[in-house]
């Protein structure tokens, strides 16, 4: 299935692959099968992508979401707040993840070997099990650039490295968590010409949360760039969406976003209407490819999407469907 999924080129090919993956996971993933049974959906009833059930993402905190009998190679965990239950994503075949993020990066940004990759991810580096650190570490290696690397709290060192690379005309990707990027521009103002700034979101309790527009304005001014890029990913996914500015994200060909009605979790919205974000990630072949997230967003007519916030617990509808 890897070849079929990672070479999707048409909507018909995506639909065919998605229905195959659904049938596979319906049969092999016990938790997902129980959820489908609970809402009275059988794989033989599903003829379109919109009819596929989306598993609430909270199940990754309480259940083992696996659609394979193979041994677990890696367990990715969410960061979570102190004392909270973290999500666990059990990976039985890491080649699905590596192929997804490498092909995804190439799809949006071209050859990784053209870049120096600098990572400012202090909170992720300080814990185990981060899928983001796993991905960025491999991108650093695949860049084959001796200047690429991780940075923790050494802001003076990364400042010198950014300015040196940019001055030398080296295409550079600086990927960082929001609070660390803000720390950097408060310490040093830049005027960059050859550097992509990519935020991965979240203040992680280090700073007051900012709306995207306000955050990007501060970062654009601080780095001296026109646009701030963003990555949309999460522990429970093996694929990422990317935005090259203005908070509008696009997906690789094997990933799709739908939105659901905020009052009826089983109803899919038409494009243009805001709702809960449902993700189809066909790279999640060995776990669950159909996930109802706790993000709120809007799907545009051309398939791009915007993230506009998060559900709080009082907003979540249909909670009776989320307990097995």
């Amino acid at each position: 299935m890897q070849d079929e999924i990672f070479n999707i080129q048409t909507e018909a090919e995506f639909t065919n692959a998605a229905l195959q993956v659904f049938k596979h996971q319906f049969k092999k993933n016990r938790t997902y099968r129980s959820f489908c049974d609970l809402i009275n959906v059988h794989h033989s009833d599903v003829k379109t992508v919109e009819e596929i059930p989306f598993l609430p993402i909270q199940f990754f905190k309480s259940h083992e979401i696996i659609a394979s009998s193979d041994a677990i190679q890696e367990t990715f965990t969410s960061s979570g707040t102190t004392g909270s239950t973290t999500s666990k994503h059990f990976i039985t075949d890491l080649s699905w993840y590596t192929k997804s993020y490498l092909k995804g990066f190439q799809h949006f940004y071209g050859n990784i070997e053209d870049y120096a990759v600098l990572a400012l991810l202090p909170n992720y580096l300080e814990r185990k099990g981060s899928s983001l650190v796993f991905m960025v570490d491999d991108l650093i290696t695949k860049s084959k650039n001796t200047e690429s690397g991780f940075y923790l709290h050494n802001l003076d060192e990364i400042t010198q490295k950014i300015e040196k690379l940019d001055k030398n005309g080296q295409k550079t990707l600086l990927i960082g968590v929001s609070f660390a990027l803000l720390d950097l521009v408060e310490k040093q103002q830049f005027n960059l010409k050859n550097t992509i700034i990519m935020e991965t979101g979240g203040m992680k309790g280090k700073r007051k949360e900012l709306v995207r527009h306000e955050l990007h304005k501060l970062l654009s001014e601080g780095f001296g760039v026109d646009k701030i890029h963003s990555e949309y990913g999460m522990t429970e996914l093996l694929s990422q969406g990317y935005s090259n500015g203005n908070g509008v994200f696009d997906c690789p060909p094997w990933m799709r976003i739908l939105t659901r009605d905020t009052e009826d979790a089983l109803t899919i919205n038409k494009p243009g209407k805001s709702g809960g974000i449902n993700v189809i990630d066909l790279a999640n072949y060995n776990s669950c490819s159909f996930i109802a997230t706790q993000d709120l967003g809007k799907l545009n007519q051309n398939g791009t999407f915007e993230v506009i916030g998060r559900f709080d617990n009082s907003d979540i509808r249909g909670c009776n469907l989320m307990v097995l």
Side-chain angles (χ1 to χ4, degrees):
M1 281 297 293
Q2 273 198 15
D3 285 345
E4 183 174 341
I5 285 170
F6 290 122
N7 287 291
I8 288 172
Q9 295 183 358
T10 67
E11 199 61 35
E13 289 173 350
F14 179 86
T15 297
N16 181 61
L19 292 173
Q20 286 187 65
V21 172
F22 168 61
K23 184 177 181 179
H24 162 73
Q25 293 176 349
F26 181 89
K27 292 181 176 179
K28 299 292 186 180
N29 185 324
R30 287 182 296 177
T31 301
Y32 186 50
R33 172 63 181 269
S34 295
F35 176 72
C36 291
D37 288 345
L38 187 67
I39 59 174
N40 291 319
V41 175
H42 191 272
H43 77 79
S44 61
D45 302 324
V46 172
K47 307 299 182 185
T48 68
V49 169
E50 290 76 15
E51 293 172 334
I52 296 173
F54 287 83
L55 184 73
I57 199 167
Q58 295 93 317
F59 279 120
F60 282 85
K61 293 183 177 182
S62 57
H63 293 71
E64 193 175 76
I65 311 300
I66 296 180
S68 171
S69 58
D70 294 339
I72 295 168
Q73 293 183 355
E74 189 80 32
T75 301
F76 292 130
T77 59
S78 60
S79 52
T81 55
T82 303
S84 67
T85 304
T86 58
S87 292
K88 290 183 173 61
H89 194 180
F90 300 102
I91 310 301
T92 58
D93 184 350
L94 278 166
S95 70
W96 282 93
Y97 188 35
T98 56
K99 189 167 289 188
S100 178
Y101 63 67
L102 289 172
K103 286 182 72 72
F105 185 90
Q106 184 176 32
H107 179 79
F108 291 109
Y109 293 101
N111 190 345
I112 185 61
E113 294 182 18
D114 293 339
Y115 293 84
V117 180
L118 307 179
L120 189 57
L121 301 167
N123 61 311
Y124 292 96
L125 284 174
E126 292 165 334
R127 69 175 181 84
K128 294 182 179 180
S130 167
S131 57
L132 178 62
V133 168
F134 185 98
M135 176 182 78
V136 174
D137 182 56
D138 197 33
L139 291 176
I140 286 170
T141 300
K142 295 290 197 305
S143 74
K144 298 180 181 178
N145 191 310
T146 56
E147 303 283 8
S148 296
F150 281 99
Y151 292 82
L152 196 55
H153 300 292
N154 40 345
L155 298 183
D156 289 336
E157 186 180 346
I158 194 173
T159 294
Q160 295 171 9
K161 181 65 65 70
I162 292 167
E163 291 182 332
K164 171 190 168 184
L165 291 169
D166 197 79
K167 183 178 179 181
N168 291 340
Q170 169 65 57
K171 286 174 67 175
T172 302
L173 171 65
L174 171 60
I175 183 167
V177 66
S178 299
F179 77 83
L181 294 175
L182 285 172
D183 287 347
L184 185 58
V185 296
E186 286 179 0
K187 185 176 180 63
Q188 175 72 35
Q189 294 286 294
F190 298 86
N191 185 23
L192 302 175
K193 306 296 183 186
N194 302 294
T195 304
I196 293 171
I197 310 299
M198 182 182 292
E199 55 92 4
T200 65
M203 295 300 182
K204 307 302 180 185
K206 304 288 186 179
R207 284 173 173 260
K208 177 186 174 184
E209 291 289 343
L210 300 174
V211 297
R212 178 194 58 79
H213 175 75
E214 187 177 357
L215 171 66
H216 284 204
K217 183 174 185 292
L218 290 171
L219 293 179
S220 292
E221 292 173 352
F223 285 108
V225 296
D226 292 334
K227 293 182 177 180
I228 301 298
H229 293 228
S230 304
E231 181 245 13
Y232 182 79
M234 56 191 69
T235 300
E236 300 84 358
L237 302 178
L238 293 184
S239 300
Q240 303 77 33
Y242 290 102
S243 167
N244 63 5
N246 302 319
V248 179
F249 291 86
D250 204 354
C251 295
W254 55 90
M255 180 182 179
R256 289 287 188 281
I257 300 295
L258 301 174
T259 65
R260 64 184 183 275
D261 191 294
T262 55
E263 298 295 330
D264 179 3
L266 302 181
T267 298
I268 299 300
N269 292 333
K270 293 182 178 180
K273 183 179 179 182
S274 299
I277 290 180
N278 287 356
V279 180
I280 301 174
D281 179 11
L282 298 184
N284 261 7
Y285 183 76
N286 292 317
S287 56
C288 183
S289 293
F290 313 97
I291 299 174
T293 77
Q294 289 182 288
D295 291 328
L296 290 164
K298 184 178 75 170
L299 178 67
N300 300 317
Q301 291 288 346
N302 62 358
T304 62
F305 69 100
E306 300 168 49
V307 182
I308 57 179
R310 300 262 302 167
F311 280 99
D312 62 33
N313 289 331
S314 63
D315 287 331
I316 296 173
R317 304 289 189 258
C319 291
N320 59 310
L321 297 177
M322 298 180 183
V323 180
L324 291 182

